[in-house]
Amino acid sequence: MLQGKRAIVTGSNSGIGLGVAVELAKAGADVVLNSFTDRDEDHALAANLAASHGIKARYIAADMSNGADCRALVEKAGGCDILVNNAGIQHVAGIEEFPVEKWDAILAINLSSAFHTIAAALPGMRERGWGRIVNIASAHGLTASPYKSAYVAAKHGIVGLTKTAALECAGQGITANAICPGYVLTPLVEAQIPDQMKKTGKDRETTIREVMLDRQPSKQFATVEQVGGTTVFLCSPAADQITGTTISVDGGWTAL
Ligand code: NAD
């Protein structure tokens, strides 16, 4: 379905980004993987993806906390038809104790990077009259939790940026939408489990069920394949008139 389309997925050497890249490759898109590292294994990921799915794939190192790097990623890729803004980090602390450098980094990577990549990608999309911008927001783009001020602010921000991009591109064959996952078991979430276990004093499984998935009524993690599949759907003709909106993949979290 996506043969001949080039997709850039930021922050895609692990977790949801890699899962999205795999689903796009399965649908026939050429894929540009990215993270801030430049290791052999990063480039090997792209080579494996190309070999497994018969598509073109490259890995381009670029630091999404740096606006010039974000724009250079799109330029080095030669532009894109599908832009998935996925790179993200998390830090958990009360507002008074929240380290300023963490606040700045979260806002830069989780929000400002998307502004820069969208700005760099749009001229080519407009020329070709087709484009798909998919921002990986979060249930925290629609609702808040304590101790995640920067993350919640950035994710609410990216939902606003999504709506604005959609309006600026309306009727031009370019859509912009945000996917709002609940908890997906990836390194980002995995890294939060030991902290949560310390707080509860309970074992891993109980902590996952009672704390991590407390707000996820399905009591099941979403999967990277489901987020990837939703991205592919947003790139399909069925989604031509879906723009400026959010799609939750959260086991009912935001229905509560
Ligand atoms: P992850 O830690 O597995 O992946 C994050 C990716 O971003 C990695 O590839 C990492 O290398 C990359 N990254 C981090 N800093 C970067 C930088 N400065 N420049 C370039 N790349 C950078 O985490 P994940 O869970 O897969 O998260 C991916 C996205 O999904 C994030 O935006 C996150 O907020 C969002 N999300 C995750 C969940 C979840 O439960 N895992 C839920 C909702 C939303």
Side-chain angles (χ1 to χ4, degrees):
M1 179 179 81
L2 298 176
Q3 279 78 10
K5 304 289 189 203
R6 183 188 299 130
I8 298 176
V9 185
T10 70
S12 49
N13 65 353
S14 75
I16 292 174
L18 184 56
V20 168
V22 168
E23 295 305 315
L24 287 168
K26 279 190 201 164
D30 297 328
V31 174
V32 175
L33 299 178
N34 153 264
S35 185
F36 58 92
T37 51
D38 199 2
R39 306 164 302 184
D40 288 347
E41 62 244 54
D42 296 322
H43 294 273
L45 276 178
N48 289 339
L49 205 55
S52 309
H53 301 289
I55 50 110
K56 291 183 199 140
R58 287 172 72 188
Y59 176 87
I60 301 178
D63 183 352
M64 293 298 104
S65 69
N66 177 303
D69 258 37
C70 296
R71 289 171 190 254
L73 166 64
V74 177
E75 271 171 41
K76 284 182 193 165
C80 62
D81 307 291
I82 298 164
L83 173 64
V84 183
N85 288 302
N86 167 79
I89 58 167
Q90 172 67 288
H91 186 80
V92 181
I95 291 172
E96 304 97 303
E97 297 85 41
F98 211 93
V100 174
E101 64 278 11
K102 290 282 183 198
W103 170 274
D104 289 343
I106 290 173
L107 269 285
I109 296 167
N110 297 22
L111 174 58
S112 300
S113 67
F115 159 69
H116 292 293
T117 55
I118 292 170
L122 269 183
M125 290 179 176
R126 286 197 212 274
E127 261 174 42
R128 292 183 291 278
W130 195 92
R132 292 288 178 270
I133 298 165
V134 179
N135 295 322
I136 307 300
S138 165
H140 282 116
L142 304 168
T143 181
S145 293
Y147 313 116
K148 296 185 176 175
S149 55
Y151 189 83
V152 169
K155 294 299 185 182
H156 275 68
I158 205 161
V159 170
L161 174 65
T162 304
K163 291 179 185 175
T164 306
L167 293 180
E168 291 187 17
C169 298
Q172 298 165 39
I174 302 166
T175 66
N177 293 289
I179 297 177
C180 295
Y183 270 114
V184 186
L185 193 57
T186 63
L188 191 92
V189 169
E190 192 66 57
Q192 295 174 35
I193 296 174
D195 263 4
Q196 295 291 353
M197 284 170 66
K198 262 189 230 154
K199 278 187 200 148
T200 61
K202 295 185 177 169
D203 65 26
R204 184 184 157 88
E205 291 318 310
T206 312
T207 304
I208 288 174
R209 201 178 51 252
E210 292 181 2
V211 180
M212 316 281 304
L213 296 180
D214 175 44
R215 294 174 71 181
Q216 198 142 309
S218 66
K219 301 295 172 201
Q220 292 161 344
F221 282 111
T223 67
V224 299
E225 290 80 7
Q226 289 159 358
V227 179
T230 306
T231 304
V232 171
F233 164 69
L234 287 172
C235 296
S236 74
D240 276 357
Q241 291 301 318
I242 299 177
T243 194
T245 194
T246 58
I247 299 190
S248 293
V249 183
D250 68 1
W253 178 332
T254 46
L256 276 174

